Amino acid sequence: QVQLVESGGGLVQAGGSLRLSCAASGRTVSSYDMGWFRQAPGKEREFVVAISWSGTNTYYSDSVKGRFTISRDNFKNTVYLQMNSLKSEDTAVYYCAADPRIRHGTSWLSVDYWGKGTLVTVSS
């Protein structure tokens, strides 16, 4: 089992920044790809960004490329999402995910482990 706990969400004005964190615990977390998905009201959960287990490879959705940066610290078992130049359309609940493989376009239905989510609200 893998447990994921997100933190860092909140209310921010458009153009501002937030940093999300995901603390992971459980079996061999450092061998899992980690990622962030988000779900806006009335919409399906969607892929945002992912990082390979080694931290070597990262994958971004087109909507956040150039604005968001994912990183991980395997010693601390923590994944970070730095979000800059936030837009109102970034408003959503952000979920941390862990799976042996997460790539651009991975369906949320195939992900093994989830956190409970953290709300990000961007005011225009």
Side-chain angles (χ1 to χ4, degrees), residues 38 48-49 60 64-70 81-86 90 94:
R38 67 187 181 187
V48 178
V49 61
Y60 293 89
V64 305
K65 195 174 296 182
R67 300 187 298 121
F68 290 12
T69 303
I70 189 171
L81 181 62
Q82 179 66 43
M83 304 185 294
N84 298 330
S85 303
L86 282 161
D90 295 318
Y94 283 71

Side-chain angles (χ1 to χ4, degrees), residues 84-114:
N84 298 330
S85 303
L86 282 161
K87 305 175 182 180
S88 57
E89 51 262 45
D90 295 318
T91 295
V93 177
Y94 283 71
Y95 295 92
C96 182
D99 192 85
R101 179 184 172 91
I102 305 177
R103 297 289 184 269
H104 181 283
T106 292
S107 168
W108 67 274
L109 295 170
S110 65
V111 172
D112 284 351
Y113 299 103
W114 294 101

Side-chain angles (χ1 to χ4, degrees), residues 41-64:
K43 295 188 176 181
E44 188 174 7
R45 192 172 299 188
E46 64 175 1
F47 169 85
V48 178
V49 61
I51 187 166
S52 61
W53 67 270
S54 65
T56 301
N57 298 307
T58 56
Y59 311 91
Y60 293 89
S61 67
D62 290 343
S63 61
V64 305

